[in-house]
Amino acid sequence: MTTQTPAPAAQAGLSERYQPLIGGRFASPTTETFAAINPATGAHLADITRGSQADITDAVAAAKSAFPGWAATPVEQRSAMLVELARVIDANIDRLALIDALDIGRRVSETTIDHARAADQYRFFAAAAVTHAGWNRSIAGGIAIAKREPIGVVGQIIPWNVPAIMAAFKMAPALAAGNTVVLKPDENASLSTLELGKYISEIFPPGVVNIVPGLGEEAGAALTAHPDVQKLAFTGSTEVGRLIAHAGADRLVPVSLELGGKSPNIVFPDVTDVDAIVDNAAFAVAHCNGQSCLAGTRLFVHDDIYDTFMPKLVAGFERIVVGSPLDPTTVVSCLVSSEQGERVLDYIDIGKKEGADLLAGGDRIDVPGNEFGHFVRPALFATENSARIAQEEIFGPVLSVIRWNDYDTMIAEANGIRYGLAAGLYTNDIANAMKTADALEAGSVWINGYFNMIDGSPFGGYKDSGFGSEYCAETLNMYTHLKSVTLLNEPVAPFFLP
Ligand code: NAP
Ligand code: MG
């Protein structure tokens, strides 16, 4: 008798049908569903409730009734639950990572890191919440204090590219601060968040976390418009971010937005380890299959080093293994959907038509057993900063290399973009590094190592990349009100009446 390895979907232990998590139960008034499809193979993975206005109404009501109890729960207990969630994620990391690889087509080695980072976020905010201080000052005959209070029901909407991290960036600080949550995952990436919901439902009291899958224009819009949602937090495109900001303005509730990016990555002529920087430049644009808001998509290479650097970069791009998300040798896998795949190929076409020089990649290839998927070899273009491929967020593995000479012109071009999320730079000259970091309009600047995100360091955008900082202790400020209380030891002596 021969034993067969179970199919990946069976290994991942997926359910056939996923319901929203509302008030501690997986149930819904809605019968309509949408399908989760494996973007590499086209295989049907599961059916998911297409969350409606009725689901949002129920989820917000559950969050609202859970709020007073959760806000009154000692922070040490809230923290302990977040730490437990992190432990459960770590214990189930292989399964969760496999689910994301099947659902969004990213390679398992990356999605494993996503879930490890997500677990770190829950632990980070568990710790940060117990040290989250208000303010106080002694005054004559008393004290003035400011207390931090949770806001209430928080509505959170996330994109598909790194669902584990996005869910953690949103839920960890909101819950740690004592809010209750209604989260809408992306229709292209709901499975790992709904599986996380199963663990959450065993750890947190009912109604503290509610997860409603569905479409943006339906469940998402209903969530942002709901009168009992007292804060909105969104990660996604700048275009939808603007809609969320309007929805917040209509109801005068605070909004935090993490939006798109088109980040510069700058190579100075004094660098010595060219191979390391070539590796960084490729990683910056092609990790996450280029589907990252943080991607370093505009590479500024100095004249003096250009002719040494570029052949190595071309050779590096040519070595990138494009393959199945489940193959451990894969570096770049498939784009999240046919729609996204066609969009990326269209941009590569635009680049060619604009006269950019295509130096490597840029074509769709067939991966055996995964013919359905859009596997695109990372495209390396030499072009100008004003080109459309250098100005517009493509959200795929497409790099625009821009040759530079004059420092001020290069800085003007690096900042000459509507976005301001991140930037990278490479130099051995510390004074130059710090001067350049100051000059860049970007929420994060990484010197000599792209994507070097450290728990506790703020992450957020300038300009059209949004506002608000996540990933850091200050995020708890976004999820709390500051209430001022002034106390005197005894009533003030009469002073007003004649
Ligand atoms: P998107 O289209 O803006 O979608 C993001 C989320 O918003 C999805 O859950 C979507 O629902 C929902 N949505 C769409 N229309 C809505 C509406 N009218 N009201 C309420 N919600 C609505 O973004 P995407 O294309 O999926 O994701 C890529 C974008 O996200 C890129 O621009 C990227 O840069 C950005 N991003 C930013 C960060 C950051 O931290 N700055 C991180 C990751 C990604 P559906 O399920 O229907 O799509
Ligand atoms: Mg979407």
Side-chain angles (χ1 to χ4, degrees):
M1 196 176 88
T2 56
T3 48
Q4 280 190 331
T5 313
Q11 275 175 5
L14 286 173
S15 305
E16 280 174 21
R17 173 74 199 275
Y18 285 86
Q19 301 264 36
L21 171 61
I22 299 176
R25 295 176 54 236
F26 288 91
S28 166
T30 305
T31 50
E32 285 80 20
T33 59
F34 64 96
I37 302 291
N38 179 329
T41 63
H44 179 272
L45 295 171
D47 290 315
I48 303 172
T49 297
R50 178 169 159 173
S52 65
Q53 175 76 56
D55 294 281
I56 292 295
T57 302
D58 289 356
V60 174
K64 190 179 176 184
S65 75
F67 175 65
W70 184 244
T73 301
V75 66
E76 291 80 1
Q77 285 179 31
R78 296 200 302 255
S79 291
M81 291 181 221
L82 289 164
V83 170
E84 173 61 6
L85 180 59
R87 189 194 65 75
V88 171
I89 292 169
D90 283 338
N92 292 279
I93 198 159
D94 292 342
R95 191 170 87 85
L96 290 167
L98 177 58
I99 290 171
D100 273 339
L102 296 172
D103 199 18
I104 56 178
R106 284 184 42 226
R107 58 180 164 128
V108 166
S109 51
E110 277 184 359
T111 58
T112 305
I113 294 169
D114 289 358
H115 285 279
R117 288 205 148 192
D120 285 343
Q121 276 292 282
Y122 295 108
R123 276 188 289 264
F124 175 82
F125 281 106
V130 291
T131 54
H132 188 223
W135 170 89
N136 71 77
R137 177 157 80 80
S138 296
I139 57 172
I143 188 166
I145 61 177
K147 302 181 70 175
R148 290 272 173 200
E149 291 187 347
I151 296 175
V153 178
V154 176
Q156 304 184 315
I157 297 176
I158 55 174
W160 44 261
N161 57 339
V162 281
I165 293 179
M166 292 295 106
F169 269 36
K170 292 286 172 280
M171 292 198 288
L175 296 171
N179 303 280
T180 54
V181 163
V182 179
L183 176 83
K184 190 201 88 68
D186 194 283
E187 65 182 289
N188 281 317
S190 301
L191 294 180
S192 72
T193 312
L194 289 164
E195 285 288 341
L196 187 71
K198 293 181 184 173
Y199 303 130
I200 285 172
S201 71
E202 287 167 9
I203 299 170
F204 291 82
V208 169
V209 176
N210 305 276
I211 301 171
V212 181
L215 310 191
E217 313 82 73
E218 297 172 4
L223 180 59
T224 60
H226 197 292
D228 289 333
V229 172
Q230 279 151 356
K231 176 184 162 57
L232 295 170
F234 172 79
T235 296
S237 63
T238 297
E239 291 60 38
V240 177
R242 244 179 258 288
L243 298 177
I244 308 292
H246 278 292
D250 283 343
R251 295 194 296 104
L252 284 181
V253 298
V255 175
S256 45
L257 301 171
E258 301 282 2
L259 308 177
K262 191 80 186 178
S263 299
N265 206 8
I266 303 162
V267 186
F268 282 92
D270 68 320
V271 295
T272 36
D273 192 346
V274 173
D275 289 333
I277 295 158
V278 162
D279 192 73
N280 252 272
F283 168 66
V285 72
H287 82 274
C288 214
N289 304 335
Q291 303 168 131
S292 165
C293 55
L294 293 168
T297 43
R298 294 180 299 141
L299 184 70
F300 290 83
V301 180
H302 192 273
D303 246 356
D304 290 352
I305 197 169
Y306 196 88
D307 292 337
T308 318
F309 191 90
M310 289 307 287
K312 286 177 182 266
L313 187 63
V314 171
F317 265 58
E318 282 167 354
R319 287 201 304 277
I320 290 176
V321 179
V322 179
S324 159
L326 306 180
D327 182 338
T329 65
T330 292
V331 176
V332 161
S333 51
C334 84
L335 297 167
V336 74
S337 61
S338 306
E339 192 191 12
Q340 183 68 11
E342 288 304 320
R343 187 183 135 85
V344 170
L345 291 171
D346 280 350
Y347 266 108
I348 291 167
D349 231 35
I350 289 168
K352 290 183 199 158
K353 289 194 180 120
E354 274 184 325
D357 208 358
L358 182 61
L359 304 174
D363 50 334
R364 179 180 175 182
I365 61 162
D366 269 344
V367 172
N370 299 268
E371 286 76 8
F372 181 83
H374 277 70
F375 292 81
V376 176
R377 290 198 307 137
L380 174 58
F381 280 107
T383 186
E384 306 287 326
N385 189 52
S386 55
R388 272 188 70 192
I389 53 165
Q391 286 289 316
E392 296 174 22
E393 187 182 46
I394 299 171
F395 229 56
V398 181
L399 180 61
S400 294
V401 180
I402 299 145
R403 190 172 182 144
W404 70 279
N405 194 328
D406 175 65
Y407 180 84
D408 292 337
T409 308
M410 179 275 290
I411 291 291
E413 290 194 343
N415 289 334
I417 195 92
R418 63 193 280 229
Y419 299 109
L421 195 55
L425 63 97
Y426 308 85
T427 177
N428 290 320
D429 177 345
I430 186 75
N432 177 43
M434 292 311 286
K435 176 179 108 173
T436 306
D438 285 352
L440 289 168
E441 296 165 356
S444 298
V445 179
W446 297 301
I447 300 166
N448 291 332
Y450 205 80
F451 198 22
N452 198 1
M453 289 183 71
I454 307 295
D455 285 277
S457 63
F459 170 65
Y462 284 27
K463 305 194 281 190
D464 276 7
S465 293
F467 44 78
S469 289
E470 295 189 319
Y471 207 51
C472 59
E474 286 78 0
T475 311
L476 294 169
N477 296 350
M478 299 198 312
Y479 285 104
T480 47
H481 288 300
L482 207 48
K483 177 185 276 179
S484 174
V485 179
T486 311
L487 174 127
L488 296 177
N489 298 340
E490 50 195 45
V492 282
F495 70 95
F496 180 63
L497 297 173

